[in-house]
Amino acid sequence: MELSSELAYKWNFIIKSIALIISCIITPIVTLLIYNNTSGIPGWSLEEFILLQGTFIFVLGIARLFMFDFPSKIISNVRRGEFDKFLLKPYSPLLYLTFSSIQIEGIAELTTGLCLIVWSFVKLNLDIWSFGFLFYLMFIALGILFLYSFIILISSLSFLIVNSYALFDLFFKLTDLSRYPASIYGLTVRFFVTFLLPLAILGYYPAEAMLRGANLGLILQISIPVILFFFITLFLWNRAMRKYSSAGG
Amino acid sequence: MINKYLASIRMGFKDMIVYRFHLYMSLITAPLSLLIYYYLWKSIYSYAGQAIINGFTFNALITYYAINTIIGWFVYSEVDAWFEQNIINGELIADLLIPVNLFSHYFLVHRGYSIFGLMVETIPFLFIAKLVFNIPIPGFWILMAFILALFFAVVLEFMISYIVGLTAFWLKRITGIRKARRTIVLFLAGGMLPLSFFPQWFQDISFFLPFKYIRDAVVNIWLGNYEIIGMLQIYLLQILWIGVLGYIIYLMWKRASKRFSGAGT
Amino acid sequence: MKNIIEVRNLKKTYKTHERKSGILNAIKSVFARKHRYDAALKGINFSIEPGEIVGFIGPNGAGKSTTIKILAGLLYPSDGEVQVLDFIPWKERVKYVQNIGVVFGQKIQLWWDLPPLDTFELHRDLYKIPKEKFEKRLKFMIKIMGVSKIINKPVRDLSLGERMKCQTIAALLHKPKLVFLDEPTIGLDAVAKERYREFILSTNTRFGTTFLITTHDMQDIEKLCKRIIIINDGRIVYDGPLKEIKEKYMTTKILDIKFDGRPVGFKHKGCEILKRGKYGLKVVVDLSKSKINEVIDYLIKEYEVVDINIQDTPIEEIIQRIYKEKK
């Protein structure tokens, strides 16, 4: 249904996809220009940098495809007082909303990210039959979980704050922190993006694991904050749900 | 007579007050972006071991990004989105029924936005940037030269988005082109990286395109990188492009208004 | 007297794209689209004198809105001549709209996030209304429309009816000589409608303002217009006094009655039962044989009536009968 009505506006659909691809590849182009003019960032060659950014775009694409429509759906339903219809369904509103909202533009991002990943894999001669690759996939999965937690967080807050769209914008700005290797940041920021709001899981840590391997210590150190964050947001969501249904909408 | 124009500006100003929360947010996000650039370029500069890269000292480059942020607030235009919405739901008629030129009305409403943004975004941000990142503030004359160039830049970007908006008369939904315009203009104007980092052939072309005169050239005036002759050249090209884009708008509007059906879907 | 509106052989054809539903058709339409030409106006002629209130009626899609939009200078016609207040509406738009007022009931003409008062003040400056005159008129209009409580609330929080009232104020503040109202009473309740009509009438008598009104509400027409123009399928079917149409075609009314209990043995002169429900009746009353209040008196006397709804002959039926007569 949504797909066909999107397609009905032919130009819009085509150009929207092109626009998204362009905005995806602009960051790698900027990176390329930086590396052409300077010696780059210590410890990261151009190809390695592109691997990081490609991974980031890929994860973001998956999130856009399946989840980014989710908070706006909740916000608009809560505003119109129609959220109750989700509570009446025989399954968890969280799961229902996650799988019922798709933004097809996500495909453009996903594809661009994948192309960049493949390009850097070939250039760097990386082996996909390695533990590093296994950890790479695992960290990507953690990254998706992290974005999902964040979506849940914003959605939960939208029951409390009227202006939760602004939070979504803020979050997008925060993800800019994930576009560059966490090693460039000062200690405070690094601590922030690793433990408090594990944004580094969206690009830096998967790329690190792929390029330089990972050990148990690192894996624990990275996955615990992400998983903890997930459970905290889940807890908040349940609290918000209980509060909403007891208030009677 | 002047009241008529002030009225449109006043509406924009009041309209922005409603959305002030979003503007307050940018006082968190804008310094954050600057902080990211700060770390990125600090590591690049120290790794390169050079004090000057492509004519930029580290401090000048951070200033470049800071001033770019401010320019971004001033040139911000959502007139393309207005056209899209108003054509789809037919509400453009409301703006056609009031005795005012559509272009100037929309432009002035946006300037109402700018004035509000100047108060709640630009001035506080400049304070933060000066205190935290030690951004240099130029002397009076350079500042005046900058403001003049900034004004032309605002007109240029507005005209580009106006043209994108007018395409909605033919294409109806233009979300894609709107998004593309934003990123492409930002990139080509040097909003992500100074144009001196681009290949020479690209810089040569840029000289003849309008984009450079929206951001890169304007920031470089702030940085004091132009002599008087250079500034005059910038103004000249800005005015030239305003003329060209204005003519395109005139032609498009003539055809578009004949297509308008005023219906809503 | 010189006519305020003069329309000669006005035609308008729209070019539209055919769009079928379904993914497959949507993909097909990406590569090839079919155009279709729809004639909305097929050559209409009429003129209106200053000070008239003319009802412009017809079924949906008959061309009412298209005509109004052309007269208001929003649309270019495909053919024909139009002269309004010595202007050709679609030329010199900015100058022309200064002299007219337009209300579109289905559209929002106020600033969405701001209170109506802000839009009023915008109009004050755009139409160059002197401050004292503005205050005086606004006070008067606010009073007669009964909107003093809402003019400081954001428009998005107002009801459709409240918006309509404010929209009308905004359109009339500059005291235009000619006003177009397109479905102005939509969303108003019965009391508000009555007030609205009074407002129109008093503006008309006090300032000699000319009105052209489209509406689906026959009550609006009856209360406001002496003259009506009926349009159907892009052509004018009738142009003349309302009285004539009323006497000739609006000879019946439909009563929808709800009873407390089962209505048994309903019978009255000139009444014919259309539909019989368990606790309700739908009756056509022939007004030449029986007055409507006689029927209602009879009903109230004989039965326990819960609710009565009186409907006029639908416009579609009148048009059909006009066509029949012509043949």
Side-chain angles (χ1 to χ4, degrees), chain B residues 192-210:
Chain B
M192 291 170 154
L193 199 68
L195 291 183
S196 64
F197 282 74
F198 286 57
Q200 192 55 46
W201 60 266
F202 183 87
Q203 292 183 47
D204 295 342
I205 296 172
S206 283
F207 182 82
F208 298 103
L209 295 178

Side-chain angles (χ1 to χ4, degrees), chain B residues 207-235:
Chain B
F207 182 82
F208 298 103
L209 295 178
F211 309 111
K212 177 183 173 182
Y213 307 103
I214 296 175
R215 284 166 183 270
D216 187 275
V218 184
V219 187
N220 274 303
I221 291 182
W222 176 289
L223 288 169
N225 289 342
Y226 285 110
E227 300 290 318
I228 291 198
I229 295 293
M231 286 183 202
L232 290 178
Q233 195 179 47
I234 290 168
Y235 297 144

Side-chain angles (χ1 to χ4, degrees), chain B residues 16-45:
Chain B
M16 237 334 97
I17 297 177
V18 181
Y19 290 100
R20 60 188 177 277
F21 190 71
H22 280 264
L23 300 200
Y24 298 155
M25 280 305 250
S26 57
L27 281 184
I28 305 172
T29 55
L32 179 79
S33 296
L34 201 56
L35 187 77
I36 296 174
Y37 281 125
Y38 175 86
Y39 279 123
L40 176 70
W41 286 99
K42 204 172 97 170
S43 95
I44 292 170
Y45 269 85

Side-chain angles (χ1 to χ4, degrees), chain C residues 37-289:
Chain C
Y37 293 91
D38 289 330
L41 296 176
K42 298 169 181 168
I44 62 171
N45 297 284
F46 68 88
S47 52
I48 290 174
E49 283 174 21
E52 279 192 280
I53 303 183
V54 178
F56 200 54
I57 54 180
N60 284 330
K64 290 173 297 184
S65 286
T66 303
T67 311
I68 294 246
K69 279 174 193 156
I70 291 173
L71 291 179
L74 296 168
L75 289 190
Y76 282 67
S78 311
D79 197 12
E81 280 165 48
V82 176
Q83 184 134 24
V84 186
L85 292 156
D86 293 325
F87 284 93
I88 294 169
W90 54 92
K91 289 181 180 156
E92 287 183 282
R93 179 185 68 78
V94 175
K95 257 194 202 159
Y96 170 64
V97 294
Q98 212 133 18
N99 299 288
I100 59 165
V102 188
V103 177
F104 283 103
Q106 318 264 27
K107 303 267 150 81
I108 297 145
Q109 288 167 274
L110 304 161
W111 279 62
W112 186 244
D113 290 311
L114 299 176
L117 189 59
D118 283 328
T119 307
F120 299 158
E121 283 171 356
L122 173 75
H123 282 214
R124 177 193 67 203
D125 295 343
L126 291 186
Y127 291 94
K128 303 186 193 92
I129 310 167
K131 231 177 181 144
E132 310 84 64
K133 278 191 181 163
F134 170 80
E135 300 289 346
K136 223 176 99 190
R137 276 180 217 163
L138 186 62
K139 218 173 134 190
F140 172 73
M141 288 179 173
I142 285 173
K143 201 177 141 202
I144 200 164
M145 287 280 210
V147 290
S148 58
K149 279 183 195 139
I150 53 163
I151 56 158
N152 284 311
K153 276 193 210 165
V155 171
R156 61 180 135 82
D157 295 339
L158 302 184
S159 72
L160 184 61
E162 290 167 334
R163 257 180 4 226
M164 197 71 59
K165 290 184 212 162
C166 294
Q167 224 150 282
T168 309
I169 293 178
L172 289 172
L173 270 172
H174 59 289
K175 235 183 176 181
K177 294 186 202 98
L178 170 64
V179 176
F180 301 104
L181 303 173
D182 189 17
E183 302 285 348
T185 52
I186 254 178
L188 297 177
D189 59 54
V191 181
K193 271 184 183 172
E194 204 46 57
R195 261 191 161 162
Y196 194 94
R197 290 173 197 139
E198 260 167 46
F199 177 76
I200 302 295
L201 278 177
S202 71
T203 316
N204 173 257
T205 46
R206 280 176 63 162
F207 310 117
T209 312
T210 313
F211 285 90
L212 182 62
I213 305 173
T214 78
T215 179
H216 274 110
D217 190 331
M218 286 312 279
Q219 300 281 3
D220 287 347
I221 299 290
E222 274 187 61
K223 297 258 162 70
L224 294 172
C225 314
K226 287 202 182 73
R227 172 184 164 198
I228 58 167
I229 297 173
I230 302 178
I231 183 170
N232 186 44
D233 194 25
R235 287 194 183 88
I236 287 179
V237 185
Y238 175 86
D239 182 355
L242 170 68
K243 227 173 113 190
E244 201 176 293
I245 286 283
K246 234 171 124 179
E247 280 165 4
K248 244 181 162 169
Y249 304 106
M250 292 167 79
T251 50
T252 60
K253 275 192 193 286
I254 294 163
L255 288 183
D256 213 340
I257 317 143
K258 286 205 174 60
F259 299 93
D260 188 15
R262 213 176 273 269
V264 194
F266 172 85
K267 207 172 177 195
H268 194 271
K269 193 169 54 171
C271 292
E272 197 184 312
I273 292 170
L274 277 182
K275 224 170 95 186
R276 193 188 282 277
K278 205 168 176 188
Y279 297 109
L281 279 180
K282 205 171 191 176
V283 182
V284 185
V285 184
D286 188 339
L287 297 175
S288 61
K289 289 182 186 145

Side-chain angles (χ1 to χ4, degrees), chain A residues 9 11-12 15-16 19-20 22-23 26 29-30 33-34 37-43 49 105 163 165-167 169-170 173-174 176-177 180 184-186 189, chain B residues 21-22 25 28-29 32-33 35-37 39-41 43-44 47-48 53-54 171-177 179-180 183-184 187 192-193 196-199 265:
Chain A
Y9 291 98
W11 284 109
N12 192 44
I15 296 171
K16 211 153 119 189
L20 245 142
I22 290 174
S23 57
I26 276 183
I29 289 176
V30 170
L33 290 174
I34 291 175
N37 285 276
T38 69
S39 29
I41 292 165
F49 205 140
E105 300 107 285
N163 224 321
Y165 276 120
L167 282 176
D169 293 345
L170 176 66
K173 266 283 174 278
L174 279 170
D176 278 351
L177 281 162
Y180 307 103
I184 63 168
Y185 301 127
V189 180
Chain B
F21 190 71
H22 280 264
M25 280 305 250
I28 305 172
T29 55
L32 179 79
S33 296
L35 187 77
I36 296 174
Y37 281 125
Y39 279 123
L40 176 70
W41 286 99
S43 95
I44 292 170
Y47 194 48
I53 299 176
N54 285 347
L171 305 173
K172 297 279 184 278
R173 287 227 178 257
I174 52 163
T175 356
I177 311 183
K179 279 186 184 159
T183 352
I184 293 172
F187 178 69
M192 291 170 154
L193 199 68
S196 64
F197 282 74
F198 286 57
T265 41

